[in-house]
Amino acid sequence: MHYTASQVLNTFRFDVISLFFGAAFATTGILSLGVLLARRRFEALLFWLALFAILYGGRLWMQTGIVSLLASPSPYFVRFQAATNFLVPVPAFFFFQATGFLGRLGDYIAYTATLLQSILVVGALSGVSLPHLYFANNVIVIAALVLLLFQSFRTVSPARDLRIVRNGLLIFIAFALWNNVGSLLGFLPNLEKYGFAIFLVCLGYVAARHTFERDQQLNELQKELDIARRIQLSVLPKEFPRSRYFRIAAHYAPMRSVAGDLYDFQVLNEKQAGVLIADVSGHGVPAALIASMVKVASTSHRKESSSPSRFLSALNTTLCGNTQNQFVTAAFAYLDAEEGELRYAAAGHPPMLLLREGQTIKIEENGLMLALFPTAEYTQTSWKLRAGDRMVLYTDGIVEAMDANENEFGTERLSSLVCKTAHLTHAEAANHIMSSVKNWSVSQTDDLTVLVCDYMPGH
């Protein structure tokens, strides 16, 4: 069949509003699905609304005269158009179920109505009389809308946003009822799209307001985290005091704004000092708060520094019952230049590495993690210090960093790397270790801390 340009143009002019609304609804649905994919988190309301909007927009287009002209006289298009029309209510039923407006019978109503609509879709595609199917569709939709209208008045919701959404939903229901009742009575008022547009505007307003408020909250939270980060950094020693015997460099890289890693120096005098490194389980603010507790406890038990085992026992007693089921690994090294001795103890922490004469030695003297049992006891080991000894303390984020193939950096690779730093200064060695670990890992999944201590008597 051939149509004149005037017929096509007049048809297009008549359909322009429906074409506009159809494109707008489908675009809204596609954007909503994009938001879901970007967030990587399933949200039933947004998902079903997106499908509803896409199908509803597609149906508006297929019901226009201009699309009918293009598809005419294909009988398959008429069947496909009917099937789409019957499919549109399906995501709507699940959307209303997710809103809670269907009450306790929400699942039953949604699945029953979906089953009935699915039967209509199959009937439309298999050649069943379309007038009968359209009549059944109108009855099902009207019954569902009346039930939804009844349930919405029973739901008392003082929240402003829910009232806005409910009012928009009621307007849409009223337009949809008018459309379906009109279809049963033999006339097609075709006003439902305006009600759906109002409903989408209400949802958009609420979504935009929530987005704006959430951005404000995130900005405030970020400011607070920045302050917390500055406070935490101020708690960590900036540098080890100048000493004729020891050179210590620290490199610290939190995974987030604040971290659960901690290090501290217990400088008793020029010849004697203690070095603490600790790692609180978990990440973020909770771990950072526990790390602050460890710092305070470390300072309060300064007098126990000469005995790492007693020092860790004292820390453990202080922390037990006060960490909200978060635990702490720690290692403490006491350096005594007067006696030429290193004393070391640890609580569930990775072994310290001692670089001596080009060889790396693992020093491991571990007990239970801190804050597990108040009666836990710790032992210590002693080593004679030699000029040029380099000691490396680190948290498990260093050895557990993974590459693209999920291979851990590992203690052996770290030991080899420490050997290669023999010609570097303590500060250069710390920087080189940290940069090597960061280059190895695809992304940082834990806090990273490394301490490098050189014993340099007479320098």
Side-chain angles (χ1 to χ4, degrees):
M1 184 178 294
H2 299 284
Y3 300 97
T4 66
S6 178
Q7 286 177 306
V8 174
L9 184 59
N10 288 334
T11 303
F12 178 79
R13 287 173 178 169
F14 181 79
D15 292 334
V16 67
I17 295 177
S18 293
L19 290 171
F20 170 77
F21 277 118
F25 296 157
T27 301
T28 301
I30 292 171
L31 289 175
S32 299
L33 287 180
V35 170
L36 275 179
L37 290 174
R39 298 181 66 176
R40 297 182 181 180
R41 185 178 65 186
F42 180 77
E43 294 182 18
L45 272 173
L46 193 58
F47 176 75
W48 293 117
L49 178 62
L51 291 186
F52 189 22
I54 292 170
L55 289 175
Y56 196 96
R59 184 181 70 174
L60 277 180
W61 271 59
M62 284 192 291
Q63 288 178 343
T64 58
I66 191 69
V67 174
S68 297
L69 286 179
L70 294 174
S72 179
S74 172
Y76 300 105
F77 173 76
V78 176
R79 291 282 170 183
F80 181 73
Q81 185 184 50
T84 303
N85 189 65
F86 302 148
L87 191 61
V88 169
V90 172
F93 292 140
F94 286 102
F95 172 78
F96 295 140
Q97 173 208 23
T99 63
F101 283 136
L102 295 179
R104 296 179 181 178
L105 298 178
D107 290 347
Y108 175 78
I109 294 171
Y111 286 112
T112 301
T114 298
L115 176 62
L116 295 175
Q117 293 299 126
S118 300
I119 293 172
L120 296 182
V121 171
V122 173
L125 296 176
S126 58
V128 178
S129 172
L130 291 181
H132 291 90
L133 294 177
Y134 273 114
F135 179 84
N137 175 71
N138 289 332
V139 171
I140 295 170
V141 172
I142 289 172
L145 290 174
V146 170
L147 178 61
L148 184 60
L149 192 63
F150 174 72
Q151 286 294 124
S152 67
F153 280 111
R154 290 184 59 190
T155 304
V156 179
S157 178
R160 177 188 174 189
D161 288 345
L162 290 180
R163 284 202 305 271
I164 293 173
V165 172
R166 183 173 67 176
N167 291 339
L169 183 59
L170 292 176
I171 292 172
F172 170 62
I173 291 172
F175 276 87
L177 275 173
W178 173 259
N179 228 54
N180 283 273
V181 171
S183 296
L184 284 177
L185 297 178
F187 66 93
L188 293 172
N190 198 23
L191 299 177
E192 184 182 302
K193 58 180 173 288
Y194 299 106
F196 190 71
I198 294 172
F199 178 46
L200 280 183
V201 168
C202 292
L203 288 177
Y205 167 77
V206 171
R209 202 169 70 81
H210 276 200
T211 300
F212 178 73
E213 290 181 351
R214 185 169 61 250
D215 287 344
Q216 284 187 316
Q217 292 171 354
L218 287 175
N219 288 335
E220 292 297 323
L221 181 59
Q222 188 59 51
K223 289 179 183 177
E224 293 177 2
L225 286 175
D226 288 341
I227 294 172
R229 183 174 185 273
R230 289 196 296 270
I231 292 173
Q232 187 176 42
L233 289 175
S234 70
V235 169
L236 299 175
K238 291 182 175 57
E239 59 182 14
F240 189 78
R242 288 186 61 83
S243 168
R244 290 189 299 165
Y245 300 93
F246 307 111
R247 305 283 190 275
I248 301 180
H251 208 304
Y252 166 81
M255 186 182 80
R256 299 176 183 170
S257 295
V258 290
D261 279 9
L262 171 77
Y263 64 90
D264 194 19
F265 305 136
Q266 301 281 5
V267 181
L268 305 180
N269 52 57
E270 190 179 45
K271 295 183 178 181
Q272 296 168 324
V275 180
L276 170 69
I277 189 169
D279 182 4
V280 181
S281 60
H283 306 288
V285 174
L289 292 173
I290 303 301
S292 297
M293 291 176 56
V294 176
K295 166 68 176 181
V296 173
S298 170
T299 303
S300 65
H301 296 300
R302 183 187 182 91
K303 61 183 181 181
E304 306 290 350
S305 297
S306 60
S307 174
S309 58
R310 288 202 307 268
F311 179 80
L312 291 182
S313 294
L315 278 184
N316 180 65
T317 302
T318 301
L319 294 174
C320 275
N322 297 310
T323 60
Q324 300 299 312
N325 296 322
Q326 287 186 269
F327 309 111
V328 183
T329 70
F332 187 77
Y334 177 73
L335 308 170
D336 189 340
E338 188 172 15
E339 298 291 332
E341 186 178 37
L342 160 70
R343 299 171 200 159
Y344 175 82
H349 204 78
M352 182 174 74
L353 300 180
L354 172 62
L355 177 62
R356 173 177 287 175
E357 298 176 352
Q359 299 294 321
T360 305
I361 305 167
K362 292 181 185 178
I363 299 181
E364 193 168 11
E365 189 72 19
N366 254 328
L368 291 173
M369 291 185 294
L370 303 178
L372 273 174
F373 301 106
T375 57
E377 295 183 356
Y378 300 90
T379 57
Q380 65 186 43
T381 183
S382 298
W383 289 68
K384 282 295 182 181
L385 286 171
R386 298 180 187 175
D389 280 351
R390 169 168 289 172
M391 292 143 281
V392 179
L393 294 162
Y394 53 94
T395 54
D396 60 8
I398 296 290
V399 292
E400 292 176 2
M402 290 190 177
D403 64 5
N405 297 318
E406 296 188 354
N407 297 314
E408 288 190 347
F409 194 77
T411 306
E412 296 304 321
R413 188 173 282 102
L414 178 61
S415 297
S416 176
L417 180 62
V418 170
C419 283
K420 295 176 182 178
T421 68
H423 66 286
L424 301 176
T425 66
H426 59 296
E428 292 171 342
N431 288 333
H432 182 65
I433 292 170
M434 186 64 77
S435 61
S436 298
V437 171
K438 287 185 174 181
N439 291 334
W440 170 270
S441 60
V442 177
S443 60
Q444 186 176 341
T445 58
D446 199 357
D447 305 320
L448 305 175
T449 304
V450 61
L451 300 176
V452 176
C453 175
D454 289 350
Y455 177 54
M456 308 290 290
H459 284 68

